Amino acid sequence: MSFRSVLNRPRGPLGIRLGDVGMTLVVLLAVELFVATGGGPGAAPLNAVAYLLGAILVLPVLVRNRFPRFELIACSVLLLLYYSLDRRDISPVPLLSVPLYDAAMAGFLVAAIVIPTVFMVIGLFVVDISTHEGLVSLAASFLPGFVVLFLAIALGDVVRSRRALAAETAERLRVAHEEREAEAARRVAEERLRIARDLHDTVAHSMATITVQAGSALHVLGPGEQKLRGPLLAIRETSKEVLREMRATLGQLREGTPEGDGQVKAGGMDRLPALRDAVTAAGAPVTIAVEGEQRPLPPRVDEVAYRILQESLTNVLRHAGPAAKATVRLCYEPAALGIHVTDDGTAAPGANGTKTGHGLIGMAERAAAVGGSITAGPREEGGFEVSARLPLTEAAGSPGAAG
């Protein structure tokens, strides 16, 4: 902790700082010096009472941090009582300079101007009546004190203005930073939409061609080629499903634009049987086992669970090798859904014997988006395993959880 922070740390209910105590002592020394030298006609004798009253005048300076206007008014009232009841000929300058600076810095500029002006004018006429020196000569003698008080007010107002300017500048910088971030986010969103459109146009054409070709092949199958009907049906239905999902995804990206209707439902666990049939027809038989009480999932968790299963079973087709079999085990726990996808394949496309690529990264990101976790790796007995755990809380299933 720095020395400055120690001085400026408020203490107690009045918020008195060590720096305030030090400033009070400085003002006290200046006031007591004027008390000691402030003789003259009609002045009270210099004794312990005079010094005590001088010390009382300074007490409001202690609360300058939290109550600057009270500090100025209290010092002014005490000084007026001092002049009226047990006066020593002291200038208001040593007592009022700090309160005037504090009041001006806090924004009480009117009070900071009016109070010393009243004091100096009243003092000028009182001294003129007492000494008959003439207003001109007295004004000349009062001028240095008036200048000091004015400088204290001006300094406080300058400090206040500089602090306000610094705060305004910081606020403008913050707003400008937020606007730049918003503009960058808008450009990123537009670029993502452009990429999605390009991807849709490219892939949609290819998938549409595959669908048409698979349908044509079904029509020309001969009697001895019926064993090809299952794979061709799977190809046709899978390509149609891919097109629907691409349109759904592009519709979400286009939300808020005339082209996006947002009416296509995202993939969920209700589509798992169709996924199983498609993967099985493609050559990798899939077995599904359910543990616990099967029940509806929160929307976001439902979609993420399906996407993890979809990617895992797709990896079985791509990497597990011919004649591989897959097993899907769903564990419905009270607060979480466990997903385990295993295969008995032997292929290992990664250099280190693990399945690599963006698929596993995408699954991990989807699981993390709903507060879940995922692990993947080869099994000791052969094949590959993907295990995920997704919480079933409302927070995890809310749309905002996916970021």
Side-chain angles (χ1 to χ4, degrees):
M1 184 178 295
S2 64
F3 179 72
R4 183 174 182 179
S5 63
V6 172
L7 288 180
N8 293 330
R9 186 172 63 185
R11 292 175 173 81
L14 298 180
I16 298 176
R17 306 170 299 183
L18 290 179
D20 300 334
V21 176
M23 182 60 69
T24 302
L25 292 176
V26 172
V27 176
L28 176 62
L29 291 176
V31 170
E32 295 294 9
L33 178 62
F34 273 71
V35 169
T37 58
L46 181 62
N47 51 28
V49 175
Y51 286 112
L52 177 62
L53 293 176
I56 293 175
L57 295 178
V58 182
L59 289 178
V61 180
L62 288 171
V63 297
R64 59 190 295 260
N65 173 49
R66 184 164 295 180
F67 307 106
R69 182 165 57 177
F70 170 80
E71 171 201 13
L72 175 60
I73 295 175
C75 286
S76 303
V77 172
L78 290 175
L79 185 60
L80 183 61
L81 292 175
Y82 179 81
Y83 283 150
S84 303
L85 301 177
D86 194 19
R87 176 176 62 85
R88 295 280 294 173
D89 291 336
I90 66 172
S91 170
V93 173
L95 177 63
L96 295 184
S97 294
V98 172
L100 288 172
Y101 167 84
D102 293 335
M105 189 175 65
F108 305 114
L109 191 59
V110 174
I113 293 175
V114 170
I115 289 177
T117 302
V118 171
F119 264 98
M120 298 302 286
V121 171
I122 292 177
L124 182 65
F125 281 99
V126 169
V127 173
D128 177 60
I129 293 174
S130 302
T131 61
H132 304 288
E133 292 185 18
L135 290 177
V136 176
S137 61
L138 287 176
S141 62
F142 273 54
L143 183 61
F146 190 82
V147 170
V148 171
L149 294 180
F150 173 78
L151 290 177
I153 298 172
L155 180 60
D157 188 57
V158 168
V159 172
R160 181 193 62 79
S161 300
R162 288 180 62 86
R163 289 182 178 179
L165 179 61
E168 182 180 357
T169 302
E171 178 64 16
R172 288 181 177 179
L173 290 175
R174 184 189 65 80
V175 172
H177 178 68
E178 290 180 353
E179 290 178 350
R180 286 196 300 270
E181 287 187 340
E183 177 65 16
R186 184 187 64 80
R187 292 182 179 180
V188 168
E190 290 179 351
E191 181 64 14
R192 285 178 175 174
L193 181 57
R194 185 192 65 78
I195 294 173
R197 286 169 174 163
D198 292 345
L199 181 62
H200 175 269
D201 294 342
T202 302
V203 179
H205 172 74
S206 301
M207 297 307 299
T209 302
I210 292 172
T211 303
V212 172
Q213 294 295 333
S216 299
L218 285 171
H219 285 293
V220 299
L221 281 179
E225 299 173 328
Q226 292 303 312
K227 62 181 181 180
L228 298 177
R229 181 171 296 276
L232 288 173
L233 284 172
I235 292 173
R236 187 179 65 178
E237 294 304 317
T238 301
S239 58
K240 287 181 178 179
E241 187 64 27
V242 169
L243 284 173
R244 283 195 294 268
E245 291 187 7
M246 287 187 62
R247 292 190 182 100
T249 302
L250 187 60
Q252 291 175 1
L253 290 174
R254 284 171 170 169
E255 184 178 357
T257 68
E259 299 182 51
D261 54 18
Q263 299 298 317
V264 183
K265 183 181 183 293
M269 293 294 286
D270 58 320
R271 297 165 59 187
L272 180 57
L275 177 63
R276 175 197 58 197
D277 296 341
V279 176
T280 300
V286 178
T287 302
I288 299 177
V290 178
E291 298 178 4
E293 181 182 355
Q294 191 171 359
R295 59 190 184 277
L297 304 176
R300 283 294 300 160
V301 177
D302 190 34
E303 179 185 357
V304 169
Y306 175 77
R307 295 302 183 187
I308 291 175
L309 289 169
Q310 184 183 47
E311 181 64 31
S312 300
L313 293 177
T314 301
N315 283 341
V316 172
L317 289 174
R318 295 176 57 195
H319 303 305
K325 298 179 181 179
T327 300
V328 175
R329 185 160 56 92
L330 304 176
C331 302
Y332 284 85
E333 303 173 8
L337 170 66
I339 300 175
H340 305 277
V341 181
T342 58
D343 65 67
D344 57 2
T346 57
N352 59 354
T354 62
K355 294 176 173 57
T356 59
H358 296 289
L360 295 180
I361 297 175
M363 286 192 290
E365 291 175 347
R366 288 182 182 275
V370 294
S373 60
I374 191 168
T375 58
R379 300 192 301 165
E380 294 181 0
E381 61 270 29
F384 200 82
E385 179 176 8
V386 175
S387 297
R389 181 179 175 83
L390 308 177
L392 302 182
T393 60
E394 289 298 326
S398 64

